[in-house]
Amino acid sequence: MALHGAKGALSQAGLTLDDVRFVDVPSDGWWPGLEALRRGEVDAVYVKGARAAEQAAQLGLAVAVALDAHPDPRTRVNNGTPRPITVHEDLLAERPEVVIGFLVQTLRAAEWAASSLDEVRAILGRETRSGSDGVVTAYRNDFHTALHPDLSGERLDLLRVQKDFLRLHGFLASDVDQGAWLAPEPLAEARKKVGL
């Protein structure tokens, strides 16, 4: 996640991973690297989420690049963007109604979230054990309106970007046939049940 996040941040300045030197830092009780950054031992660290944003602020550190603020979603692709929903193929074959039911509830929750920003932020605060400032910093740009799972061309392209990145950097032993991995039928059925 951190490697792909760094790639996204660097790309915004026209740089690549080859333009920087990575340094391993010990975990220091905070998000790894924040103390090292505060001490001036490294120039930048990648952090994600409300708690990390809160911890950085507590140390007097500033956000240099907010990946979510960039208009090109490719700059923020990593293991959290896009968020694929995965199930074992046996579950899909033997109990498709369970998968469809899960997707129905996910779509209903996304519908609710789209008009419930304050409540969504409160949930995120509890989930991440963060205060409101950390949640607002980490979750911005009307994120709550784009939580519906879909298999749009854009999302599939972003998933391919992540897959290719993982393969290129040795996180996947072999390539994955993304087309064979997708199962659009459960989502289509769930959308019908919800009326979308």
Side-chain angles (χ1 to χ4, degrees):
M1 176 177 61
L3 185 63
H4 210 169
K7 178 183 181 285
L10 290 165
S11 73
Q12 293 183 24
L15 301 171
T16 71
L17 293 173
D18 292 332
D19 293 312
V20 297
R21 183 174 59 88
F22 287 93
V23 177
D24 286 327
V25 294
S27 179
D28 46 31
W30 299 82
W31 187 276
L34 287 177
E35 279 290 342
L37 179 60
R38 185 188 62 76
R39 292 189 301 266
E41 297 168 5
V42 296
D43 296 321
V45 297
Y46 172 84
V47 298
K48 177 189 179 296
R51 189 72 186 120
E54 206 168 64
Q55 292 168 346
Q58 289 170 357
L59 290 172
L61 303 171
V63 174
V65 178
L67 294 176
D68 287 342
H70 196 278
D72 183 358
R74 289 170 168 261
T75 65
R76 58 184 171 269
V77 170
N78 65 35
N79 63 329
T81 303
R83 286 185 164 83
I85 297 171
T86 58
V87 299
H88 194 282
E89 65 184 337
D90 291 345
L91 177 63
L92 187 57
E94 296 167 14
R95 300 287 311 274
E97 73 281 0
V98 172
V99 177
I100 293 166
F102 175 83
L103 292 170
V104 163
Q105 295 305 322
T106 302
L107 289 165
R108 287 181 179 152
E111 283 291 299
W112 170 83
S115 60
S116 305
L117 178 58
D118 291 340
E119 293 90 340
V120 170
R121 284 182 172 159
I123 291 168
L124 288 169
R126 289 190 302 272
E127 179 184 318
T128 63
R129 298 183 179 147
S130 303
S132 60
D133 288 346
V135 171
V136 168
T137 299
Y139 301 97
R140 51 178 100 189
N141 298 339
D142 294 328
F143 76 96
H144 66 294
T145 64
L147 298 175
H148 295 77
D150 71 58
L151 293 172
S152 66
E154 179 185 38
R155 291 234 179 138
L156 294 178
D157 183 53
L158 296 175
L159 187 59
R160 182 195 51 76
V161 168
Q162 173 67 350
K163 172 189 70 83
D164 291 348
F165 180 87
L166 293 173
R167 177 74 176 118
L168 176 68
H169 292 281
F171 296 104
L172 289 177
S174 60
D175 199 8
V176 174
D177 180 351
Q178 185 170 310
W181 187 62
L182 296 173
E185 300 82 9
L187 182 58
E189 184 63 29
R191 289 180 63 83
K192 280 187 216 170
K193 288 181 180 286
V194 174
L196 296 176

